[in-house]
């Protein structure tokens, strides 16, 4: 049975994280170009996350910052200094 299914699936190619990010950016750019509209991502209540989760979220956004036709709006209240204190 494995011999019959062997030709149906492509072998998995291991890619480095920079290669994966580059491929994502290319595919994402093509999708937005086809749509013909910008994408605006709104992230609200970041101040209510635990600091570790907020940092992980910001790091994920950083990977997407320079994507074509994409904007990020981040809403966070740091009046008490809890969000970005060390």
């Amino acid at each position: 049975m494995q011999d019959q299914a062997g030709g149906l699936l492509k072998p998995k190619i291991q890619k480095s994280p920079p290669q994966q990010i580059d491929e994502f950016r290319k595919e994402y750019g093509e999708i937005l170009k086809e749509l013909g509209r910008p994408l605006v991502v709104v992230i609200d209540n970041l101040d209510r996350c635990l600091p570790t989760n907020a940092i992980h979220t910001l790091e994920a956004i950083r990977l997407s910052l320079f994507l074509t036709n994409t904007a990020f709006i981040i809403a966070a209240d740091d009046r008490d200094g809890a969000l970005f204190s060390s």
Side-chain angles (χ1 to χ4, degrees), residues 6-14:
L8 297 176
L9 301 175
K10 294 180 184 178
K12 186 175 181 180
I13 300 172
Q14 295 292 338

Side-chain angles (χ1 to χ4, degrees), residues 13-71:
I13 300 172
Q14 295 292 338
K15 295 182 182 179
S16 67
Q19 289 172 323
Q20 292 173 344
I21 292 167
D22 187 51
E23 187 174 313
F24 168 76
R25 287 180 176 167
K26 286 178 185 174
E27 290 179 19
Y28 181 82
E30 290 172 10
I31 291 169
L32 283 181
K33 189 174 183 178
E34 288 177 19
L35 291 175
R37 293 183 170 193
L39 174 67
V40 178
V41 178
V42 179
I43 299 170
D44 195 7
N45 293 328
L46 192 60
D47 56 306
R48 295 184 185 188
C49 294
L50 294 173
T52 303
N53 291 341
I55 290 169
H56 290 311
T57 301
L58 293 171
E59 287 174 345
I61 292 168
R62 186 179 57 126
L63 294 173
S64 306
L65 276 181
F66 301 106
L67 295 173
T68 306
N69 291 330
T70 305

